[in-house]
Amino acid sequence: MYFMFLKIIDINYKDDIFLALESVEITKASYIEASNLEKSLTDELPLFKGFFTTDEEKEKQIIIVTALIDSTEQIDEMVKILEASGLNIRDEKIFRLALMPVSYVFDPTKD
């Protein structure tokens, strides 16, 4: 079992990535909307946000997805699905992914 940490850098591809995750049966995932600290540190952080997001603010937004996955093959398949859909994930900064082995899990909902 692995802990997946997926940082979606270009949120325009969020739906494509979510569909690919679902296609490889990574469904018990959580996601957090966050700000890209690297870009935020170069500008002032706004104290109050309005109702509308400017293009500049969208550039700073990222999504963090976390999940427990069974195997690295799921990620290999997800990458193949994204590439087959036409995304240039090798050359463009769309997402960053890390897997960490898990030595213990307590999950009373696990089948």
Side-chain angles (χ1 to χ4, degrees), residues 34-53:
S35 293
N36 189 343
L37 189 58
E38 180 181 359
K39 292 187 180 188
S40 294
L41 288 176
T42 60
D43 301 330
E44 289 183 33
L45 289 173
L47 186 56
F48 299 102
K49 288 193 175 226
F51 292 105
F52 302 102
T53 305

Side-chain angles (χ1 to χ4, degrees), residues 18-103:
F18 285 176
L19 284 172
L21 287 169
E22 189 175 348
S23 295
V24 297
E25 298 179 3
I26 299 175
T27 55
K28 288 186 177 182
S30 300
Y31 84 91
I32 304 162
E33 293 179 5
S35 293
N36 189 343
L37 189 58
E38 180 181 359
K39 292 187 180 188
S40 294
L41 288 176
T42 60
D43 301 330
E44 289 183 33
L45 289 173
L47 186 56
F48 299 102
K49 288 193 175 226
F51 292 105
F52 302 102
T53 305
T54 65
D55 288 340
E56 185 178 309
E57 287 172 329
K58 260 189 181 178
E59 237 180 63
K60 294 178 192 174
Q61 290 180 335
I62 58 171
I63 294 175
I64 305 294
V65 181
T66 61
L68 289 174
I69 65 168
D70 295 322
S71 69
T72 58
E73 287 80 19
Q74 288 174 283
I75 299 303
D76 293 336
E77 187 62 29
M78 182 192 83
V79 167
K80 287 178 188 173
I81 289 168
L82 290 171
E83 288 177 324
S85 73
L87 292 183
N88 187 4
I89 62 173
R90 306 259 180 212
D91 296 326
E92 294 181 34
K93 290 184 178 182
I94 297 174
F95 67 89
R96 181 175 299 132
L97 179 109
L99 294 180
M100 293 155 272
V102 174
S103 61

